[in-house]
Amino acid sequence: MTELPFRLRLIRRDGASRRAALLAPLAALLAAGLVNFLLYIAMGKDPAAVFYAMLVEPFVSWSSFSEVLLKLTPLLLIAEGLAVGFRAKVINIGAEGQFILGAIFAASIPVWFPEATGGWIWALMLLLGGIGGALWATVPAFWRVRLNASEILVTLMMSLIAAQLLNYLLVGPWKDPMGFNFPQSVMFQNDAILPTLIPGTRVNVALILAFVWAGLIYLYMQKSFQGYQLLVGGLAPHATAYAGFSEGRAVWLSLLIGGFAAGLAGAAEVAGPLGQLQRSVSSGYGYTAIIVAYLGGLHPIGIIFSSLLIAALNIGGDNAMVSADLPKAAVEVFQGSLLVFYLAAITLVRFRIQWRPPQEVRA
Amino acid sequence: MPSPLLTLRGLGKSYGSVRANHAIDLEVAEGSIHAILGENGAGKSTLMKLIYGVETPDAGEILWRGAPLRVTSPAEARRAGIGMVFQHFSLFDTLTVVENISLVVPGTKADLGQRIRTLGQTFGLDVDPQAYVHALSVGERQRVEIIRCLMTDPRLLILDEPTSVLPPQSVERLFQTLQRLKEGGVSILFISHKLDEVRAICDRATILRAGTVVDNVDPRGHDAHALARMMIGHAMPEMAHARSLAPGEVLLQVDRLNHRPDDPFAMALADMSFEVRTGEVLGLAGVSGNGQAELTRLISGEWTLPRADAERVRMMGRPVGDRGAADRRELGFAFVPEERLGRGAVPDMSLADNSLLTAHRLGLVRNGLIDRTREAAFTRRCIEEFDVRAPGPEAEAGALSGGNLQKFIVGRELMLAPRLLFVAQPTWGVDIGAATAIRRRLVELRNQGCAIFVISEEIEELFEICDRVMVIREGRLSPSLRIAETDVQEVGRYMVGTREGTGGGDERAHS
């Protein structure tokens, strides 16, 4: 019976329309564009040049667009995997660590068998990467199921451990003896590098893998009974117990799927654009993918678009830093404001605001 | 003639395309007890929310002592002199009575404590101001709610189904209180669907059906059947009386069950033993909060016992105490919980997807994939057979009224053709017509050889459908009583504890 000091309320809409849900990201993009337009003017930058570099160039220049596709690959893989868990309310924010473990597992082949040849090597590396990521996720899964430890905290802490493990390997046992003491592994042999998809670019087979993965997740979440059980767990935990669905299994599945996807992405990163294990493999894909997953409405199809958008904004941001002399912070402001506006827009899809003027009752 | 205390003229409220209230005219006289009668979904609660300022009307006007009144919030309603006691209490368990009251009523605690005592003496609402709410019985909690309302000195007190939570002896006492309030000049709006109660204490009754006023009568001049006819628009469906069957195989056996929950406010269960056989309905009566919730979860499999205690609960002859809900359901067990939203159904999912929750066993899932055609067919059948008022299988469960969702859940569980059925509050919030239909289905199922265990707070319901009834109090069971050999008074005595006798004494849920 408490009253808000202001007469403004959020009222749940009778039914959220699909059209409004699709329009929300566009509205958010528009609003973020407007706010940043003012920001650029205040900064004395030419908004047109910035927007061209940021939003148009990634799509019109082939070399830029291929980089967008390259960036999209890990984001799509990880975000699709994470979204499964998020919809089951199993919040895995440690994809970064699972990604690093995937990279380490994949790198073990070229590091230990630098002479090995054969087309199976990169395929095995990808598989190992997925397994590595999933194994890293077993720790928070076990702790959550057995000890009821929050998977949010454990996955996050496991990421920090993974980063230190990577450091240890790179300055210790896996350091390239011919690498002038740089913390990096040997360069991988040719068969340990993913085949390029489009000649002249860095786009490789992992892109196809990412789209196949998105398709599988779509099937899993929309059509399978197991995916349905995960959804029930996320929406109504008591209904899970009522129906006799196992909560522990939901935690395990969510974390293993998320971990596998992140590990796969990590493997594709070292076996793709990097070509060796180095510190820069951990560049925040695991965290960005969380944003991508939510921006895509946790829907397998939506995430395809959101990963494309975020990848393009990343490349566009780089472009803008170079061609429009925009500071890095301003690029981050754009991305941050986009997320804030999206969250506001999606809230308005589900709720409507009601103003209640104090002296008006009768219609 | 003086102007009535409260007058409604042409009041209306719509939610989307649903007209919850339409052109409601109502007059509440000073110093009267006025009943609002109606089936579930007839618009009683909406109307009360409009009067109490929780919702604002789309049309019409409210007059208070002849002058127009605008209430846009409960606080304004309280200032005007309208108080309301909700069906579900809003008290903090971990605070004392006086602390709870001081949250809404200004004043020092000593001062408030004194006023609580005075009000208690005047109106027969005695309750210890220093007692912690979690230690109070439901009847006492209701008194606290009423006292809290009276503190603001209302002229009109709205009570939403006040007797639904009380044992019979406490109902009597509440009625005495209401009489005294009326003599003290407070008008009372009394929402109920229990016809005998309305006839016992109300001076006027306004009958709502489908959001409109269908009649306005003196309830003492009509018998219960006539009132029921006004409420539902046709004669009451007759209940086929249950004839006893020869007891068959034991399908549910609870044997010396003890349970101590982790939650300090939950009720421990002590040494419970009972069995349910094919072809019988066993009922469990009791004031809520006496261990029903805990026993329910241990039988449904939502809580499990350690492996060593597997034998404490047996279903279809097998020990299942350590098994989860899915394993028990595989044996032919079905269950309707008392909470519909979030437990028996997922509010954000369609009815079709809610069918899947427990009916996935009926071939709705093939090769791990959901068969949408069968899912929709099952759901459509459930909607038709159990008269669920919903646009179709795609309707969101959360958008259905409580009674309709209950019909859907009961229907879904019955369509599983269970051997052992467990139903908690089968007709809670369901209108009279549908409630009778559900009860009749339960008896039919029993006649076909199903073993049924029912928990209900409505004693009349238990007497209607059960062969035997037990009472739960403070986590212990009474002996089982054959319906043919007992009566409401005896069951009531077990509910409040035999030691307090029959003299309108009230029970303490935790002592």
Side-chain angles (χ1 to χ4, degrees), chain A residues 160-180:
Chain A
L160 303 178
I161 298 173
Q164 293 311 315
L165 183 65
L166 177 69
N167 277 338
Y168 164 73
L169 288 173
L170 291 181
V171 298
W174 284 14
K175 187 167 66 176
D176 181 3
M178 316 294 284
F180 308 104

Side-chain angles (χ1 to χ4, degrees), chain A residues 94 97-98 101 131-140 155 158-159 161-163 165:
Chain A
Q98 294 141 20
L101 260 286
I131 292 173
L135 278 178
W136 204 243
T138 58
V139 178
T155 51
M158 291 296 288
S159 287
I161 298 173
L165 183 65

Side-chain angles (χ1 to χ4, degrees), chain A residues 1 3 7 9 12 14 219 221-226 228-229 231-232 235-245 354 356-363, chain B residues 16 56-58 60-61 70 72-76 78 302 325-326 329 335 337 342-344 346 348-349 353 356-358 360 365 368-370 372 412-413:
Chain A
M1 293 303 104
E3 276 185 278
R7 293 184 174 256
R9 294 181 176 195
R12 205 185 155 102
D14 293 338
L219 260 183
M221 291 313 282
Q222 314 297 126
K223 309 275 179 207
S224 84
F225 185 51
Q226 213 172 60
Y228 164 83
Q229 293 182 28
L231 286 184
V232 172
L235 290 171
H238 291 298
T240 306
Y242 165 74
F245 302 154
Q354 194 189 49
R356 304 213 323 171
Q359 290 303 320
E360 215 179 332
V361 182
R362 280 174 292 162
Chain B
T56 44
D58 305 329
E61 59 176 350
R70 291 165 176 168
T72 57
S73 74
E76 283 176 50
R78 282 196 294 269
E302 289 161 289
R329 284 174 172 277
F335 165 50
R343 189 165 164 205
V346 184
D348 297 328
M349 282 187 168
D353 278 351
L356 212 54
L357 208 55
T358 59
H360 58 88
V365 173
L369 296 182
I370 301 163
R372 298 285 178 198
R412 179 187 69 198
E413 298 302 301

Side-chain angles (χ1 to χ4, degrees), chain A residues 17-107:
Chain A
S17 85
R18 189 171 285 260
R19 206 171 59 118
L22 290 177
L23 282 175
L26 292 179
L29 192 60
L30 218 65
L34 185 69
V35 166
N36 284 277
F37 176 83
L38 298 175
L39 178 73
Y40 301 145
I41 290 192
M43 288 168 67
K45 307 286 178 198
D46 175 11
V50 174
F51 282 128
Y52 183 82
M54 202 135 81
L55 298 174
V56 181
E57 205 181 305
F59 294 100
V60 294
S61 137
W62 177 240
S63 67
S64 265
F65 188 64
S66 70
E67 288 298 300
V68 170
L69 291 179
L70 191 70
K71 265 218 148 40
L72 170 148
T73 305
L75 291 177
L76 181 56
L77 276 169
I78 303 171
E80 293 281 2
L82 289 183
V84 172
F86 291 166
R87 288 184 78 174
K89 293 266 158 65
V90 177
I91 310 298
N92 172 7
I93 56 170
E96 188 70 15
Q98 294 141 20
F99 180 89
I100 294 172
L101 260 286
I104 292 174
F105 267 59

Side-chain angles (χ1 to χ4, degrees), chain A:
Chain A
M1 293 303 104
T2 52
E3 276 185 278
L4 292 172
F6 49 91
R7 293 184 174 256
L8 178 106
R9 294 181 176 195
L10 283 180
I11 312 264
R12 205 185 155 102
R13 288 182 197 271
D14 293 338
S17 85
R18 189 171 285 260
R19 206 171 59 118
L22 290 177
L23 282 175
L26 292 179
L29 192 60
L30 218 65
L34 185 69
V35 166
N36 284 277
F37 176 83
L38 298 175
L39 178 73
Y40 301 145
I41 290 192
M43 288 168 67
K45 307 286 178 198
D46 175 11
V50 174
F51 282 128
Y52 183 82
M54 202 135 81
L55 298 174
V56 181
E57 205 181 305
F59 294 100
V60 294
S61 137
W62 177 240
S63 67
S64 265
F65 188 64
S66 70
E67 288 298 300
V68 170
L69 291 179
L70 191 70
K71 265 218 148 40
L72 170 148
T73 305
L75 291 177
L76 181 56
L77 276 169
I78 303 171
E80 293 281 2
L82 289 183
V84 172
F86 291 166
R87 288 184 78 174
K89 293 266 158 65
V90 177
I91 310 298
N92 172 7
I93 56 170
E96 188 70 15
Q98 294 141 20
F99 180 89
I100 294 172
L101 260 286
I104 292 174
F105 267 59
S108 66
I109 302 265
V111 167
W112 285 333
F113 308 101
E115 308 299 331
T117 54
W120 49 271
I121 291 183
W122 61 265
L124 179 66
M125 286 167 66
L126 288 179
L127 182 66
L128 275 179
I131 292 173
L135 278 178
W136 204 243
T138 58
V139 178
F142 178 82
W143 282 42
R144 161 77 193 270
V145 171
R146 277 304 166 86
L147 304 171
N148 207 18
S150 162
E151 76 282 2
I152 303 178
L153 296 179
V154 179
T155 51
L156 184 61
M157 292 191 288
M158 291 296 288
S159 287
L160 303 178
I161 298 173
Q164 293 311 315
L165 183 65
L166 177 69
N167 277 338
Y168 164 73
L169 288 173
L170 291 181
V171 298
W174 284 14
K175 187 167 66 176
D176 181 3
M178 316 294 284
F180 308 104
N181 233 4
F182 276 109
Q184 55 195 30
S185 77
V186 293
M187 292 296 289
F188 296 173
Q189 66 268 41
N190 271 343
D191 284 339
I193 301 288
L194 299 178
T196 305
L197 209 58
I198 307 164
T201 69
R202 301 200 288 167
V203 179
N204 57 49
V205 292
L207 179 67
I208 297 179
L209 219 57
F211 277 97
V212 170
W213 177 250
L216 287 176
I217 295 292
Y218 177 81
L219 260 183
Y220 185 72
M221 291 313 282
Q222 314 297 126
K223 309 275 179 207
S224 84
F225 185 51
Q226 213 172 60
Y228 164 83
Q229 293 182 28
L230 292 179
L231 286 184
V232 172
L235 290 171
H238 291 298
T240 306
Y242 165 74
F245 302 154
S246 159
E247 198 204 334
R249 193 174 64 169
V251 172
W252 274 103
L253 280 170
S254 299
L255 280 162
L256 288 182
I257 291 172
F260 181 85
L264 194 62
E269 195 66 12
V270 286
L274 295 184
Q276 66 181 152
L277 189 63
Q278 45 176 255
R279 271 181 181 167
S280 64
V281 68
S282 170
S283 57
Y285 282 128
Y287 298 116
T288 311
I290 299 173
I291 299 175
V292 172
Y294 277 103
L295 211 51
L298 300 184
H299 190 282
I301 306 294
I303 289 170
I304 294 179
F305 289 101
S306 61
S307 52
L308 180 67
L309 176 68
I310 293 291
L313 280 179
N314 261 302
I315 300 298
D318 290 348
N319 288 344
M321 281 193 264
V322 177
S323 60
D325 193 24
L326 200 66
K328 188 163 188 296
V331 174
E332 283 162 6
V333 165
F334 186 89
Q335 293 169 0
S337 59
L338 181 65
L339 188 66
V340 169
F341 282 118
Y342 174 74
L343 292 176
I346 207 73
T347 304
L348 290 179
V349 169
R350 281 176 209 149
F351 299 89
R352 65 192 163 83
I353 291 181
Q354 194 189 49
W355 290 96
R356 304 213 323 171
Q359 290 303 320
E360 215 179 332
V361 182
R362 280 174 292 162

